[in-house]
Amino acid sequence: GAAALAAAVGVAFAIGAWRTNVAFRRVFAAVAVAGILIPPYFHAIAWTILLTRAASASSDRLAAVLGLLHSPWGAVLVLALAHLPYVILLTLSGLEGMDGRLEDAARLSRGPAGTLRGITLPLLRPHVFCGATLVFILSVTDYGVPSLLGVNTYPMEVFIQFSAFFDEAKATAAAVPMILICALLLAWQLRWMRQRPY
């Protein structure tokens, strides 16, 4: 969920920042990418404080907001926003390296929307896929955000086996499926990118 959300928002933001004439677009892109320096755990703390203050007027509203944040959907949102700079950065690198003459020629016959669908997004696909893969791996192995939000995830189970029961063998065995999933995803990505013509 975090990878899909980060890919959707990151691609839209990068294209808006790089292919439009919105004022201060380069500044927005630099600020968005600078968010990579903030650990995801701090994002979770900041969202908790921000939403608590925003909903503090009503106890029912506060309970609803915190209930939504302390759920799998809240963890997806926080992880997606925390890792969003990776997708933006990789998409911006794809836009920077793209031959703009292809888009200019396509705009003459297909218009802006057709150019986006037929030229820009297909050429950006490898960059977006790399960003989404990175976000997936960082999110699926993240312990801090789910533990703070009280969401039971696979890394938490590995951590419990290791720190609560002091069973290194079970913790290692529990981590193997997660490692295999990440390794298979990376292998698939490398194979897929070798088959691409660009």
Side-chain angles (χ1 to χ4, degrees):
L5 182 60
V9 175
V11 170
F13 184 90
I15 290 174
W18 212 255
R19 288 291 194 258
T20 64
N21 56 1
V22 176
F24 304 111
R25 65 187 189 278
R26 307 279 170 131
V27 176
F28 290 140
V31 169
V33 171
I36 211 166
L37 302 172
I38 303 170
Y41 189 77
F42 291 166
H43 281 265
I45 293 171
W47 276 105
T48 302
I49 293 170
L50 181 68
L51 292 176
T52 301
R53 288 184 180 168
S56 60
S58 166
S59 61
D60 292 338
R61 189 172 167 196
L62 177 63
V65 167
L66 290 180
L68 184 62
L69 181 65
H70 293 267
S71 71
W73 296 111
V76 164
L77 178 67
V78 171
L79 287 169
L81 293 175
H83 298 310
L84 184 64
Y86 294 108
V87 178
I88 293 173
L89 192 61
L90 287 166
T91 306
L92 286 175
S93 84
L95 288 167
E96 183 70 23
M98 192 182 297
D99 188 357
R101 291 174 297 180
L102 294 171
E103 292 177 300
D104 293 339
R107 272 192 213 98
L108 294 174
S109 61
R110 304 183 76 171
T115 302
L116 180 67
R117 282 193 312 271
I119 303 294
T120 308
L121 291 178
L123 289 176
L124 285 178
R125 197 174 296 142
H127 301 275
V128 175
F129 188 67
C130 286
T133 301
L134 184 59
V135 172
F136 176 84
I137 291 171
L138 291 172
S139 298
V140 82
T141 58
D142 192 282
Y143 167 77
V145 171
S147 68
L148 180 69
L149 298 180
V151 179
N152 194 15
T153 59
Y154 205 77
M156 286 184 65
E157 293 300 320
V158 174
F159 182 77
I160 288 169
Q161 289 293 333
F162 186 76
S163 65
F165 299 114
F166 303 105
D167 194 338
E168 296 175 6
K170 281 189 178 176
T172 304
V176 167
M178 190 167 53
I179 294 168
L180 287 176
I181 288 172
C182 293
L184 287 172
L185 184 61
L186 283 173
W188 180 51
Q189 177 194 348
L190 288 172
R191 185 177 176 205
W192 181 74
M193 289 187 69
R194 284 192 188 118
Q195 294 172 348
R196 306 298 292 179
Y198 32 82

